[in-house]
Each structure stands twice: as structure tokens, then as C-alpha cells.
Amino acid sequence: MTGERRALIIANGEYDNPGLSALRSPAADAEALAEVLADRAISEFDVQVVRDETAHVIAGRVEDLFADSAPDDVLLVHFSCHGLKSESGELFFAARNTRPERLASSAVPADFVQRCMRMSRSRSIVLLLDCCYGGAFGQGVAVRATGEANVLDAFPVGGFGGRGRAVITASNSIEYAFEGDQLADDHARPSVFTSALVDGLRTGEADRDEDGWVALGELYDYLFDSVRERNPNQTPSRDIEMQGELYLARSRRRRIKPSPVPADLRAASEDQNMFTRLGAVTELQRRLTSENLSVAIGAHEVLTTMAQTDIRHIAEAADLARRDARVRAEPEVVRFGEVVRGSRPVARIRLEGPPIARACRFASSHTWLRVTEDDDGAEILLEQTELGAFEARVTVTGPTGDVVVRVEGQVVREPAPEPRPVHTPAPTPEPSRNPDPPVLPKPEPAVPARPRPDPFAVAAGLLAFAAAVYLVVIAFPLSSSVEDFFEDGGWTVVPLVLFAIGAGIAMFLPKTRRMAGPGALCGLTLLSAIPSGPVLLVLADGCLVAAAVCALVSVRRDRSFRLGLGKPRGALAVTALASGTCGALGLVVQAIELFGYSGTRADEGAVYLVVSVTLLAGTLLGVFLRPAAFGIAFLGGVAGGGIVMVCMLFYAMPSSSSVTGAGWGIALSMVLVLAIVTGLAVRKENG
């Protein structure tokens, strides 16, 4: 007879005693864990949640759970609260009415939970402790344990009559100290430990051997790795005393073992006659669409071998055959658009192709993007609460490859409620034989208030304009004629004037002053501010550097997004990297040519090397920067700065037949290609 699966989740985050600081995570812990444990497709637990109750209520619910159990029942208890240690070293779980100076009468003793576990008839008991030792008794008073208070010490091995039980804790020691009564994190989200627990069960990532079930040992291994990755200072611990294996949840992570192809088909795929091998490709392609995934995987492996080792004609046919089984997800980009904060919209990712192409797993790059798998694909639920643009990824992995689906949008504030009109009783009009209809005034359309620009963004734009104006003043009046203008190198500052004006305008336009303007200005300054010309340009370079600093400050003050780094994706990113690298190599070639031409040109050659290194570094940074809009704008600025520097270096190049200028030509063409690639990326991003 199969017993019941019962779970008790105890979450205490609110405390009556001011000495115990409020915890934001237990409420989220309870909600997230209860949802995944009660999911019939995952775990099928009968879940009870106890939130912010007193000690005697919690103790009663714990005793009821263990006392009313049958031998075949599976019991799971999860504590999320403060863990407190008495002067004698005993562990207590804090409740709403807990007083730190009266733990014995106002908290739940760990020894009480141990006795309930020992007396329970259930042979399968799992206790999860996500508790910390903390809570300041008053401002400026620190509380610290007088030694390690290991959670597992409160639940020693033995004394359970051979019955299985397991204790898994969030850390190996709960020795913490709090100076003051404020927590640094005031966001309502699950803790690191419980987040990993929920993610491992929901996504199936805790199924390490991919047999379709999440065992207790696998779950701990997953929790250990995941928690250590998120917080290296936290180490989960376990104490498992259980005969056999206890499975807590189902998983869609099933490893598909390839079925060997028939011997005659294998022989045909290796036959010396190419037409025989072509026939084998046709049969393998048919097996690739089989409902039996093992048969399909076996055929895919043989086709892969033929595509990699056979002659060109056969390899192309094999590669074309296996393309039908590649992982395909629709849509490639999920655009939520503008999302009102707290609305939790839902989108869907569909899988296409034969059964082997649809046997996939889904993994989200962020915890606020929840993925629920089904037979035809997955449903993604957006739970982002931070205002501003967001960007995430859903990685779809199958036996024949993987694909990444981009998720993007913007979280906006809730619309302000419209004020209710106040109706006042109107005087009763006198009866008239021919009453005229009242003329009502037309309501004036509401004009939305435009957000005020950041003062640092305004300063950045003004400084960019100042640099452009200064360059115009020093370039044109010093030349008496057009011939002098070109002979004296005044034309070399024209690109910088144009790019500085463009960046300044971008810092004032509402659509570009948040990301595109600062990105373009920083990229332009990175290269064009390299000292390589007359001393008169120093002031212009200083204005550009100050403008870039102000632009970065404005980005820092904008809380709707945060700059970061991410993996480059797409052909445009690869092309940008290639063009930037080739441009840098062209400058290196030109520097070598100058060194060989004359030792007096060593300074100019050094400038070429500095520009080449900066161009390469700027291209790499632009490709990796996130959000993508900022990174693309930064690349555009790098391309503009590269054009400026290449023009200035050309003017300084010696007019000699022994200096070919081939490296300079390569550099110029590559920065132009980088500018074109950036334009294509802008078009695709605005797509």
C-alpha cells in the first residue's frame, strides 16, 4: 500500500519583539516551495503552510504531522525563520511571539522537533532547515554565538529505530552577528537555499542522472553546487540516514540511450560504393523521424559520423538529412513590449520538427523568468518587478543541439487611477416648451508629463557641443584658404566635429539619452581622446573625456537598468569582432612599416600601436556590453573614433614611396565595415 506524501512549510518573517529583525524571504519561500511541491506534474505533496504563527501553534502543527502519519507516508518539513541559540548551546526556531531572552517558553526547540521525528511511524522523513542565527537586541548591540552552532548537532544520528530520515541545512554553521536591527536586503524574494531548492525541483536540474526522478541524494548535490555558485560563503550540509533511495519529485530530464542501427544498415553506411551509402542516408533519415527516440538518436549518431568523415557529396547529404532533426523554437525572440509592473504576463515557446527535435529541456537565465515545460514546448511567466528595460534568455537543449530564445521588454509603472468626478446637485430647471440641449465643454486632452532629463546627461551633451565648437574655431579660422585648410590638416578634425555633434544631440533626445547617447559618447571618447595631434586639441579631448564621465554618471543614476557583460550572439557580433580585430592588425602592420622606414618615426609607430590596442579593446567591450542597445551604441562610437584616428594618422604619414600605407588602408576599410555592421545591428534591434 502506497502512503501519502505530506509537506509542512513553516515560514516566520514577522516578529513581535523589536529585537528580531523582520525577514523578507520566508513569505516568498513559502509561496514558491508550496507551489512546486503541490504541482501534480512534479511532486504531488499535500502541502500545509504555517506563516507568522506563535510558537505553540507551530509546535502543535509539527506534532500533528508526525503523530498522524503511517509507516509508508513521506513527510517533509521546511523551516524558514531565524535560528537562535541559547547560552547553553541549544538551537531554537523563532516564532512570531519569540523573545530572545525567553527562548524556552516562546520559541520552538529543535529538541522538540527531534522527539517528534523519533516518535513518528513514518519511515521516510525529510527536514529542510533554511534558518540563520541572527537578530540584534537593540541598536548598537551585537549578538554573536560563543562558538559554532551547527544545525546538524541538534539532530544527531541514531535513536530513530532504523527508520529513515534526512536533515539538509542551508549552511554548515549558523554563526552570524548583526550590529543593528536592519537587514541589507529588503526585497521579497526567496533565499539562496530555497531558490535553489525550488529551481532544482521545478526545472528538473536536480535530476543529475537524468533517469526521470529527483532522488534525495541528487537534490543535495544540486543544492550544494547551486548555493556555492551563488554564494561561496555558504555551504549546505546534510545528515542522511536512510535505507534505499527516496525520490522526491519527477523530472523531464530523461537521458535517451541510442539504439544501435541494424547491422545491414551499418554496413551500408560504410560500404565502398557511394550509391550504397547514399541509400543508407535515405533510410537513416527515415529512422530519424521515428517516434522511438532511441532509434532516432542512433540514426542521428550515424548521420553525424558520415557528415564528418565521408566524401563531400555524401557528407552534404548526411548533413542535410540530420538538419531536419535540429532543435527549432518559435518564436526566436519573445517581445513582451511594455509590461505593467506586477501584471505577470505569459508567453509561449513552441517546438517544431520530429519527436527527437522536441525532446528538449528549457533553462531560464534569470529567476524572474519562470519556465514550465509541456509536451509541445514551454510556457514562460514573467515576474520582473524592477522598472526599466529587461533582457533574458531561455536556452532550449535537446539531443540534437540547442538554441537560445531571447526575451525582452520593459517594465513600466502602474497607471495612475483616474479621479472620480464629484457630482453636485444641479438646480431644477423651469419647464420650457422648447428646451435647448445643454452645451457641454469639450474635455481637453491630457498631455503626458515628459520626464525631466538627468542634469549629468545635459552636461554631457553640452560638453560634447563645446568640443565640437572649439574644433571648428581652431580648424577653420587658422586657414586662409581651402588649399591651406587641406594642407595644414584642418580637414582631419571634420569627422570628430560631426561625431561629437551627433553624440551631443543623442544626449538630449528623449529616446536616446538613456542608453544610446551615453554609449556612443563613451565609445567615441575612448579612441578620439588619444593624444596624437597638435597641443591645440588637448582642450577638445578634455571636453570629450568630461562629457563621457558625465554620461556614465547619468547611466549610473538611472535605476531602470544596469550595465553588465554577456555572451556575444549572432552573426553581426562575430562580424564586428572580426572587423575590429582586422582593423587593429592593419594598424600594427602600418606601425611596423614606419619602424622600418626610419628610426625617427618611432613615436608615430607607437601611436599606431596604442590606437590598435584601444580599437581592439573597444570592439571587444562593445560586443560584450549589456543591455544590447548600450553595447551597439558603444560600438558605433568606437567606429566613429576609429575613423577620426585613422584620418589623423594618415595626415601624419610620410609621403615616401617606401611607405605603402597598406596597413592604413586595411584599418580604414575595417572601421568603415564596423560602422556598417553597427548600423545593421541598430536596424535589427529596432526591428
Side-chain angles (χ1 to χ4, degrees):
M1 179 177 179
T2 304
E4 298 180 353
R5 300 168 69 87
R6 301 162 61 190
L8 178 63
I9 300 176
I10 300 168
N12 289 324
E14 300 294 333
Y15 300 95
D16 297 337
N17 192 294
L20 293 174
S21 58
L23 298 177
R24 301 291 183 181
S25 62
D29 290 348
E31 179 181 354
L33 187 58
E35 182 177 350
V36 71
L37 289 179
D39 191 337
R40 298 303 175 187
I42 299 177
S43 196
E44 294 187 357
F45 271 93
D46 180 13
V47 182
Q48 299 180 29
V49 179
V50 180
R51 289 181 53 180
D52 298 327
E53 286 291 352
T54 58
H56 76 278
V57 172
I58 296 173
R61 299 293 288 273
V62 170
E63 186 175 15
D64 290 343
L65 175 72
F66 288 115
D68 298 339
S69 61
D72 293 331
D73 289 349
V74 177
L75 305 182
L76 185 147
V77 180
H78 179 273
F79 273 92
S80 179
C81 60
H82 275 306
L84 303 178
K85 180 187 174 187
S86 66
E87 293 182 358
S88 58
E90 297 173 303
L91 176 65
F92 292 85
F93 302 118
R96 191 187 68 190
N97 65 323
T98 295
R99 293 186 298 166
E101 71 279 9
R102 295 291 186 271
L103 293 178
S105 60
S106 62
V108 180
D111 180 66
F112 168 78
V113 179
Q114 177 192 356
R115 291 196 305 271
C116 292
M117 293 170 63
R118 185 185 301 118
M119 297 176 63
S120 174
R121 298 173 60 202
S122 171
R123 297 188 179 95
S124 302
I125 299 175
V126 178
L127 179 63
L128 303 174
L129 301 180
D130 191 359
C131 60
C132 61
Y133 179 81
F137 289 101
Q139 187 69 28
V141 179
V143 179
R144 184 175 297 274
T146 58
E148 279 202 352
N150 198 310
V151 178
L152 297 180
D153 292 342
F155 298 90
V157 179
F160 286 88
R163 299 170 182 174
R165 69 100 177 94
V167 181
I168 298 179
T169 71
S171 60
N172 60 2
S173 174
I174 54 171
E175 184 182 9
Y176 294 100
F178 290 79
E179 281 77 23
D181 56 358
Q182 299 296 323
L183 291 177
D185 188 359
D186 59 353
H187 297 288
R189 59 171 178 261
S191 68
V192 173
F193 178 80
T194 303
S195 292
L197 173 64
V198 172
D199 291 343
L201 295 178
R202 178 186 291 135
T203 64
E205 295 291 331
D207 183 9
R208 292 299 182 91
D209 59 6
E210 297 185 350
D211 63 348
W213 295 94
V214 178
L216 185 63
E218 290 178 307
L219 179 61
Y220 170 76
D221 292 338
Y222 172 82
L223 288 173
F224 183 91
D225 295 339
S226 182
V227 171
R228 291 283 294 174
E229 180 181 356
R230 302 183 193 186
N231 182 8
N233 298 321
Q234 185 174 347
T235 304
S237 300
R238 66 178 173 182
D239 185 2
I240 299 177
E241 182 192 11
M242 190 167 292
Q243 296 179 354
E245 193 66 84
L246 176 62
Y247 297 99
L248 294 179
R250 299 184 184 90
S251 165
R252 290 174 56 89
R253 289 171 56 97
R254 273 197 172 284
R255 179 183 291 117
I256 305 172
K257 297 181 179 180
S259 176
V261 300
D264 55 346
L265 183 56
R266 169 71 71 174
S269 67
E270 300 172 351
D271 195 272
Q272 294 182 355
N273 189 320
M274 63 173 293
F275 296 104
T276 302
R277 299 201 302 274
L278 277 177
V281 170
T282 302
E283 175 60 21
L284 289 169
Q285 185 176 12
R286 186 191 65 80
R287 294 174 67 88
L288 198 60
T289 61
S290 172
E291 295 286 343
N292 189 327
L293 299 183
S294 298
V295 171
I297 284 294
H300 187 269
E301 288 186 350
V302 178
L303 285 172
T304 301
T305 302
M306 297 179 71
Q308 295 173 349
T309 60
D310 215 321
I311 62 175
R312 179 177 178 182
H313 186 64
I314 304 297
E316 289 178 351
D319 186 61
L320 184 63
R322 66 175 184 166
R323 285 184 187 177
D324 295 337
R326 70 183 187 275
V327 178
R328 287 169 290 179
E330 291 292 337
E332 296 180 354
V333 180
V334 177
R335 294 186 173 91
F336 280 99
E338 289 191 351
V339 178
V340 177
R341 181 169 56 179
S343 59
R344 302 181 68 184
V346 175
R348 181 163 186 79
I349 299 176
R350 302 181 305 277
L351 295 177
E352 299 181 351
I356 191 62
R358 302 195 304 271
C360 298
R361 304 190 303 270
F362 295 77
S364 172
S365 61
H366 294 75
T367 57
W368 43 260
L369 190 66
R370 182 181 301 182
V371 180
T372 304
E373 302 176 7
D374 54 33
D375 295 334
D376 299 324
E379 183 180 83
I380 56 177
L381 173 64
L382 181 66
E383 297 180 327
Q384 176 65 293
T385 58
E386 296 185 4
L387 294 174
F390 61 83
E391 190 175 293
R393 301 178 307 279
V394 176
T395 303
V396 186
T397 306
T400 59
D402 55 48
V403 67
V404 176
V405 178
R406 290 174 51 198
V407 180
E408 57 186 34
Q410 185 174 8
V411 179
V412 298
R413 296 183 184 276
E414 302 86 345
E418 297 182 359
R420 293 185 178 181
V422 179
H423 297 282
T424 56
T428 304
E430 296 182 359
S432 176
R433 294 182 180 180
N434 298 315
D436 295 329
V439 179
L440 299 177
K442 294 183 179 180
E444 296 182 358
V447 179
R450 295 184 179 180
R452 298 180 60 185
D454 186 86
F456 285 94
V458 174
L462 293 176
L463 286 169
F465 285 139
V469 171
Y470 174 76
L471 290 172
V472 171
V473 170
I474 67 170
F476 290 93
L478 295 181
S479 302
S480 58
S481 63
V482 177
E483 291 79 4
D484 293 340
F485 176 72
F486 283 95
E487 289 181 2
D488 296 338
W491 63 273
T492 59
V493 302
V494 173
L496 183 55
V497 170
L498 297 178
F499 292 136
I501 293 175
I505 293 174
M507 292 303 303
F508 284 100
L509 295 179
K511 292 184 178 180
T512 57
R513 67 185 175 212
R514 293 178 57 248
M515 284 191 286
L521 187 55
C522 292
L524 177 65
T525 305
L526 181 67
L527 277 162
S528 59
I530 297 176
S532 60
V535 180
L536 293 174
L537 296 179
V538 173
L539 183 57
D541 293 341
C543 289
L544 286 177
V545 171
V549 172
C550 290
L552 288 176
V553 173
S554 69
V555 169
R556 178 67 177 173
R557 286 161 57 91
D558 189 349
R559 298 184 178 180
S560 61
F561 72 96
R562 283 290 178 266
L563 292 181
L565 299 177
K567 294 182 180 179
R569 43 175 199 271
L572 292 177
V574 176
T575 306
L577 282 173
S579 60
T581 304
C582 293
L585 291 176
L587 293 172
V588 173
V589 170
Q590 192 60 52
I592 295 173
E593 190 176 25
L594 287 175
F595 290 143
Y597 168 70
S598 173
T600 59
R601 295 284 180 171
D603 293 342
E604 295 179 18
V607 173
Y608 273 91
L609 294 179
V610 171
V611 175
S612 66
V613 173
T614 308
L615 175 61
L616 180 59
T619 305
L620 287 171
L621 185 59
V623 170
F624 283 91
L625 273 173
R626 294 293 180 271
F630 187 94
I632 293 172
F634 186 86
L635 272 180
V638 169
I643 293 173
V644 171
M645 293 307 301
V646 170
C647 290
M648 291 185 176
L649 293 174
F650 175 77
Y651 173 74
M653 190 180 302
S655 56
S656 174
S657 59
S658 60
V659 179
T660 63
W664 175 87
I666 295 173
L668 178 61
S669 60
M670 287 299 101
V671 292
L672 291 176
V673 170
L674 181 60
I676 295 173
V677 170
T678 304
L680 295 176
V682 171
R683 182 178 180 182
K684 180 180 179 181
E685 189 71 18
N686 295 333

